[in-house]
Amino acid sequence: MDMPTGGAGYGDLVQDDRVHTALYKDPAIFDEEMERIFKNTWVWVAHASEVPRKNTFRKSYVGKQPVIVTRDKEEKVHVLLNRCRHRAATVCEKKAGKTSVFVCPYHGWSYNLDGKLRSVPHQAVYGEGFDKDEFPLVSLRTEEYNGMIFATFRDDIEPLEEFLGAARKWIDLFMKQGAGYPVKTLGEHQFRFPGNWKIQLENTTDAYHFPIVHKTFLDSLDAETENVFDVLGQGGWVEDLGNGHSLMVMIPDLVDLEENLDAPIPERFAELAEELRAEGHSDHEVRRIVRAVGGGGFNLNLFPNVACSMAFFRVLRPVSVDETEIRHIAIGMDGGPEAGNRMRMRLHEHFQGPMGFGSPDDAEGWERVQRGSSAGDDLWILVNRGKEPLVGHAAGSNVTDVSAETGMRAAYQQWKRMMSA
Amino acid sequence: MSTSEMTREDVAAITLDEATTFIWREAEILDRQDYKAWLPLFTPDGLYVIPIERDTGDRAGELNIAYDDAEMRAMRVKRLKSGFSISSAPSARTVRTTSRFVIEQGKDNSAIVRCAQMLVEYKFERTRVVGADVTYRLVRGPEGLRMARKEVLLLNSDDPLWGVGYLF
Ligand code: FES
Ligand SMILES: [Fe+2]
């Protein structure tokens, strides 16, 4: 097939039940995506707890553009392009930290955390007409929902809350993992895989692969926990939430972490429950914390780059057409019992990251997709599984089987809208 | 200190030669991926830690790449050897060397050994080199030296890594 070049042509590469393999491997399409998608929508940049106090910052990206997320001395959050206005040097190469000023290491221009140019060495040589107000760090439009910070290059698109739409309810449910404490990040695993970013995007609401790819993870669990992770056998579902967002509920019992608190405490949390009781927490608190520590029962995929995935944030960053960086950010209770946070970190290490029992197998699967996509000149990627809604499902009339490819179809329809707009 | 106590400590001291012999043997076992032989090299309460954070801190209170007690190590080995993990069937091939040993005698038949490790991994026509500082706490038991702790601080521990289907 001839590769389309104009905006209208990209639409032909996405059909209702399949997408063309060119989406994984054409560098021209990747470049267009960076323009048409990552510069035209809300992109997740950080969690509020990563800039916890005034004068704190952390580096991030919007698409391919390096940014710094800051909290200024008035506690206001900013997303600033990481580029000195003089001759473009990055002003910050520390991953995260605390400072009241960014001093450019090249000629010493310095900036406040709100982006304002504070001072310029030997300014007089510029003459009278030099106005510092003309050269702040470029600031992106920034909005926050329930601790999740997003930025966009566009001043005229809908507010963040509107963009999130039906996903907001699920973000709220996800944050119940704080067990009444604010949610905070506990650290992150980072890895890269040699493959296109959309291969990862698809994976977040793909329950079909779970029992196959994660067999060795399942084998490492006790029988009770293994039952909990029988993700295809518990009446879960997948749902298109609009704007490219999607939801996959794998463990319906764990959708609302404030329900079912009277249920028996699972064996693997017995020791933790004991420790919490010994610390003086009431029975109700112990049950609430223990249930939250185990994580939620669903994955929420937010187009284009972040997911709230069971117990952590899952962030993707497109690097090139066939390279993608992933962050798995562990979360816990800010000010909550340390034993609970420690347990969450151990559970995170068990599945996630470069040496987890799950992630390396996911990454290998994704790499295989990219390698295999070199075969055949005009073949399509199928996303046709489970198109018919489930009849009489408790979650509504628009939901599909837990192993359906509804989430991928939702994302690709948004891709199509944005790429052919 | 009495003479008999001194003698007991002298007998227990772990020599550099013993330590390097042990560590080289472990390296060879790991490169052969003979993980069944690797497990008993730890004491029952031994820890295998691969941190993310660069500063030595309270590893238990932070997120690590791996933080394995005996149970996790056994499960990890089972997983890597099961044939059902696509990232380790086949696994990358590895060759590692360890060198630049520094040894500090501890009390109670133990020693801390710090060394450098260079590991080359190969898979899918791609070769990578990973450097690491490795710290061992070795203890002498009735059956010879054992690891009470092995901490592998990768040179790029806080950078994006990749799916690792073997042991450091
Ligand atoms: S490039 Fe930043 S001061 Fe010159
Ligand atoms: Fe997976």
Side-chain angles (χ1 to χ4, degrees):
Chain A
M1 113 178 241
D2 293 330
M3 281 308 133
T5 46
Y10 290 123
D12 298 340
L13 298 175
V14 172
Q15 297 180 8
D16 285 347
D17 65 346
R18 63 193 62 197
V19 301
H20 198 268
T21 311
L23 264 63
Y24 292 163
K25 56 180 190 177
D26 183 344
I29 292 179
F30 179 84
D31 290 344
E32 278 300 306
E33 289 172 342
M34 293 307 104
E35 290 300 315
R36 290 172 185 261
I37 295 175
F38 283 86
K39 286 176 81 176
N40 282 296
T41 191
W42 290 103
V43 175
W44 186 92
V45 288
H47 183 259
S49 67
E50 295 183 279
V51 283
R53 288 173 297 280
K54 65 178 185 180
N55 294 335
T56 55
F57 66 88
R58 92 145 277 141
K59 285 202 302 176
S60 188
Y61 285 88
V62 176
K64 292 191 71 171
Q65 305 203 22
V67 299
I68 326 167
V69 183
T70 67
R71 194 180 292 275
D72 70 17
K73 61 180 195 298
E74 261 83 55
E75 310 247 329
K76 186 170 184 298
V77 174
H78 303 266
V79 177
L80 309 166
L81 291 189
N82 190 359
R83 174 198 167 123
C84 179
R85 292 300 302 278
H86 179 222
R87 292 247 278 282
T90 53
V91 298
C92 172
E93 282 301 347
K94 232 183 124 195
K95 203 163 263 177
K98 192 166 176 5
T99 186
S100 60
V101 61
F102 296 116
V103 181
C104 179
Y106 199 5
H107 310 90
W109 287 27
S110 64
Y111 301 88
N112 292 341
L113 265 69
D114 60 6
K116 191 176 185 319
L117 176 58
R118 182 193 287 197
S119 73
V120 171
H122 303 288
Q123 190 182 320
V125 181
Y126 281 108
E128 287 290 292
F130 185 84
D131 181 0
K132 289 206 295 274
D133 288 346
E134 276 177 44
F135 304 107
L137 296 177
V138 173
S139 186
L140 303 194
R141 184 174 159 210
T142 304
E143 288 178 21
E144 187 176 327
Y145 182 78
N146 205 341
M148 302 182 79
I149 303 170
F150 294 76
T152 180
F153 283 93
R154 287 280 299 269
D155 287 325
D156 55 347
I157 58 169
E158 75 272 42
L160 174 65
E161 295 212 359
E162 214 171 287
F163 170 69
L164 294 174
R168 279 177 298 166
K169 164 188 156 188
W170 293 94
I171 294 176
D172 296 345
L173 283 165
F174 184 79
M175 298 303 172
K176 288 192 179 187
Q177 291 177 70
Y181 299 93
V183 165
K184 78 162 175 187
T185 60
L186 298 175
E188 65 185 42
H189 286 134
Q190 307 174 73
F191 60 97
R192 283 185 178 208
F193 74 96
N196 189 269
W197 63 280
K198 297 185 294 301
I199 298 171
Q200 192 303 153
L201 187 75
E202 292 170 12
N203 179 266
T204 298
T205 47
D206 176 5
Y208 195 23
H209 82 284
F210 199 93
I212 317 284
V213 166
H214 302 309
K215 177 172 167 36
T216 63
F217 167 72
L218 293 167
D219 287 347
S220 72
L221 303 172
D222 60 82
E224 186 185 11
T225 313
E226 196 175 346
N227 280 338
V228 172
F229 277 93
D230 171 21
V231 299
L232 301 189
Q234 302 190 51
W237 71 92
V238 185
E239 205 174 332
D240 178 344
L241 299 178
N243 288 345
H245 313 318
S246 61
L247 169 79
M248 171 182 66
V249 174
M250 294 191 288
I251 311 171
D253 176 52
L254 294 177
V255 161
D256 189 333
L257 294 173
E258 282 169 354
E259 282 177 358
N260 298 332
L261 290 181
D262 296 333
I265 289 177
E267 179 63 35
R268 66 170 173 161
F269 295 118
E271 218 174 291
L272 173 64
E274 263 326 296
E275 201 173 339
L276 294 172
R277 278 194 194 99
E279 281 177 15
H281 294 278
S282 71
D283 185 60
H284 177 79
E285 282 171 332
V286 169
R287 287 174 177 278
R288 187 177 183 197
I289 294 166
V290 164
R291 193 164 146 87
V293 161
F298 61 88
N299 284 3
L300 171 67
N301 206 23
L302 301 176
F303 190 89
N305 79 322
V306 68
C308 298
S309 181
M310 298 194 80
F312 64 104
F313 297 122
R314 178 169 165 154
V315 187
L316 70 84
R317 176 166 84 82
V319 177
S320 64
V321 67
D322 56 2
E323 186 156 37
T324 305
E325 198 173 293
I326 309 292
R327 296 166 62 195
H328 286 171
I329 306 176
I331 57 175
M333 300 165 278
D334 194 357
E338 258 172 53
N341 283 344
R342 269 204 316 274
M343 179 100 191
R344 282 190 70 102
M345 287 189 275
R346 296 297 90 82
L347 293 175
H348 195 81
E349 287 155 358
H350 189 159
F351 192 96
Q352 315 300 342
M355 289 182 81
F357 286 32
S359 305
D361 292 329
D362 278 325
E364 179 88 10
W366 307 338
E367 177 168 359
R368 296 283 187 106
V369 169
Q370 186 75 29
R371 289 168 74 83
S373 72
S374 300
D377 292 326
D378 192 16
L379 292 173
W380 294 72
I381 311 293
L382 294 182
V383 289
N384 59 343
R385 191 176 159 82
K387 287 188 78 177
E388 294 304 317
L390 296 173
V391 179
H393 194 285
S397 57
N398 62 329
V399 305
T400 46
D401 186 81
V402 61
S403 72
E405 284 150 352
T406 308
M408 294 149 227
R409 291 192 293 270
Y412 282 119
Q413 288 308 316
Q414 178 74 358
W415 186 95
K416 180 175 182 161
R417 281 191 288 275
M418 297 193 77
M419 290 294 283
S420 47
Chain B
M1 189 186 287
S2 76
T3 321
S4 63
E5 272 179 301
M6 272 179 69
T7 313
R8 267 212 310 279
E9 280 186 14
D10 284 348
V11 170
I14 296 171
T15 65
L16 184 61
D17 193 44
E18 270 182 295
T20 53
T21 303
F22 177 89
I23 290 168
W24 283 335
R25 188 170 138 246
E26 190 223 358
E28 197 264 343
I29 287 172
L30 288 177
D31 282 337
R32 265 195 295 119
Q33 306 195 343
D34 183 8
Y35 301 135
K36 291 251 159 63
W38 179 71
L39 289 175
L41 298 183
F42 280 89
T43 61
D45 61 349
L47 274 178
Y48 173 59
V49 185
I50 305 175
I52 297 170
E53 301 300 329
R54 306 295 305 163
D55 325 321
T56 9
D58 162 28
R59 299 299 184 206
E62 61 196 31
L63 189 72
N64 299 282
I65 295 163
Y67 187 90
D68 288 6
D69 58 12
E71 194 188 350
M72 274 296 278
R73 284 195 300 277
M75 293 190 320
R76 193 179 286 284
V77 164
K78 184 177 160 214
R79 168 182 136 76
L80 292 175
K81 284 290 162 193
S82 68
F84 292 113
S85 149
I86 55 172
S87 61
S88 52
S91 171
R93 301 169 195 156
T94 65
V95 165
R96 74 196 71 199
T97 62
T98 49
S99 186
R100 195 248 266 145
F101 296 92
V102 176
I103 187 165
E104 281 166 31
Q105 294 299 327
K107 297 186 197 109
D108 312 329
N109 303 342
S110 75
I112 303 284
V113 186
R114 297 193 302 274
C115 64
Q117 172 171 294
M118 294 287 285
L119 180 149
V120 182
E121 91 157 50
Y122 165 80
K123 185 175 185 179
F124 285 163
E125 298 147 15
R126 177 178 53 217
T127 301
R128 289 188 176 106
V129 180
V130 200
D133 285 296
V134 190
T135 305
Y136 291 85
R137 199 166 91 78
L138 300 179
V139 295
R140 186 194 299 287
E143 281 146 41
L145 298 187
R146 290 283 180 271
M147 294 180 276
R149 185 183 177 97
K150 177 183 180 185
E151 181 169 312
V152 185
L153 183 59
L154 303 174
L155 213 49
N156 49 351
S157 64
D158 55 354
D159 252 11
L161 300 170
W162 53 91
V164 178
Y166 54 86
L167 297 180
F168 286 111

